[in-house]
Amino acid sequence: MSAPDPMPPSQQLLLAATLIFVSALVQALLALKAGAWKQARAQFFLMALGFALQTGFIYLRGEEVRQCPIRSLPDILVFIAWSIVLLYFLVGPAFRLSLLGVFTSPLVTLMQVMAFTNGFAPYNPKGPINALVELHIALALISYAAFALACITGVMYLVQERMLKRHQIGGLFYQLPPIQGLAHAIQRTVRLGLLLLSIALGISFALHLPMTKTGHVVFAWIVWGLYAVISLLMWKHFTSPRKTAWLAVIGFILPFISLWIVTHA
């Protein structure tokens, strides 16, 4: 009986990153329970370490497939997870979302576990790499990460609102930003995602990609339309902050499902 093939170094890094994000969540929950969140710096360190390991995976995976690893569903899931953590570092402090990592870690962990479940297969050979095509896909996926962050922030809003209604004022509540700040953060991350997706779709015009024959472009336009409507409703204040949060949470279902449909079409 032959021994099983060893796990490639790229997947070893991804496995380590996944365990790190689980550790970040556990550490944060223990710190909150002990009432020592403000003194806990391990959360930031663990998230940064997980991000570095994710980056290492993307680099080594790119070397394995000899192109940007954003062509299969597992690789796309990891790229979006990586983008979510990147945006966590970029926009979290700006929005004063101190507990964003606690809510980000479970989603990132789930996406990476799903990637492992699907398996990392080799890519089919392809011709010369078109940098604009790679940029188009990468920007679209980063926009999906922004929508995911809006979803996470929406969850934070709904959790805080529920705690207020039930008068559950505790450690978690005191670490959450003001509820009005969360509502504004949802709007900004939705607009950021919409801007990035608009640029990606603009590049598709420059590449003359036929929308009716390119499945991912069709779904990208559908996602763009959905979030354009959500952004308009937010801008015109047609929805309450609570409904805005629900729109951000439920709205992410469409881009998440579209990834599976497009990669399996």
Side-chain angles (χ1 to χ4, degrees):
M1 184 176 179
S2 59
D5 295 333
M7 182 181 289
S10 60
Q11 294 182 40
Q12 293 178 23
L13 289 180
L14 185 62
L15 177 60
T18 305
L19 295 175
I20 289 295
F21 289 126
V22 172
S23 300
L25 176 61
V26 172
Q27 181 277 328
L29 293 177
L30 291 176
L32 284 169
K33 185 177 180 180
W37 172 258
K38 290 184 177 180
Q39 288 74 36
R41 302 300 180 188
Q43 173 76 7
F44 182 87
F45 171 77
L46 289 172
M47 293 295 290
L49 179 57
F51 178 75
L53 292 169
Q54 284 178 312
T55 305
F57 164 82
I58 292 174
Y59 173 78
L60 292 181
R61 179 65 175 161
E63 291 292 310
E64 292 172 7
V65 299
R66 298 189 177 280
Q67 56 184 289
C68 187
I70 48 176
R71 298 286 177 176
S72 67
L73 179 60
D75 289 317
I76 287 173
L77 288 172
V78 175
F79 188 86
I80 293 178
W82 174 84
S83 301
I84 290 172
V85 181
L86 174 63
L87 292 175
Y88 155 77
F89 284 115
L90 293 178
V91 308
F95 295 156
R96 298 181 182 179
L97 304 180
S98 56
L99 279 182
L100 187 58
V102 177
F103 291 83
T104 300
S105 298
L107 179 59
V108 170
T109 300
L110 174 63
M111 296 179 78
Q112 295 186 173
V113 169
M114 291 175 63
F116 272 114
T117 302
N118 281 272
F120 295 92
Y123 285 16
N124 295 325
K126 64 174 290 184
I129 295 175
N130 187 326
L132 273 181
V133 172
E134 303 298 318
L135 180 62
H136 158 71
I137 298 174
L139 284 176
L141 295 180
I142 296 173
S143 74
Y144 283 19
F147 296 143
L149 207 62
C151 170
I152 294 168
T153 310
V155 171
M156 293 174 69
Y157 180 98
L158 294 171
V159 167
Q160 186 172 20
E161 184 194 49
R162 185 179 181 86
M163 295 175 77
L164 281 170
K165 286 183 176 180
R166 295 193 171 192
H167 304 287
Q168 295 174 337
I169 311 300
L172 176 63
F173 178 85
Y174 286 121
Q175 300 307 323
L176 287 167
I179 198 165
Q180 297 87 352
L182 288 172
H184 290 308
I186 294 170
Q187 296 178 31
R188 292 177 185 176
T189 47
V190 166
R191 289 168 187 163
L192 173 62
L194 192 59
L195 174 62
L196 292 171
L197 188 55
S198 299
I199 296 172
L201 291 172
I203 294 174
S204 73
F205 280 115
L207 293 168
H208 304 290
L209 295 178
M211 190 177 75
T212 57
K213 296 182 181 179
T214 311
H216 78 275
V217 177
V218 173
F219 276 102
W221 275 109
I222 294 173
V223 171
W224 185 92
L226 170 66
Y227 278 95
V229 171
I230 291 175
S231 182
L232 179 63
L233 292 174
M234 293 176 179
W235 179 48
K236 291 294 186 178
H237 303 289
F238 289 149
T239 57
S240 64
R242 182 175 184 273
K243 290 181 179 179
T244 295
W246 274 114
L247 284 173
V249 173
I250 297 174
F252 185 62
I253 294 174
L254 177 60
F256 196 77
I257 292 177
S258 71
L259 293 174
W260 189 90
I261 295 175
V262 170
T263 54
H264 286 78

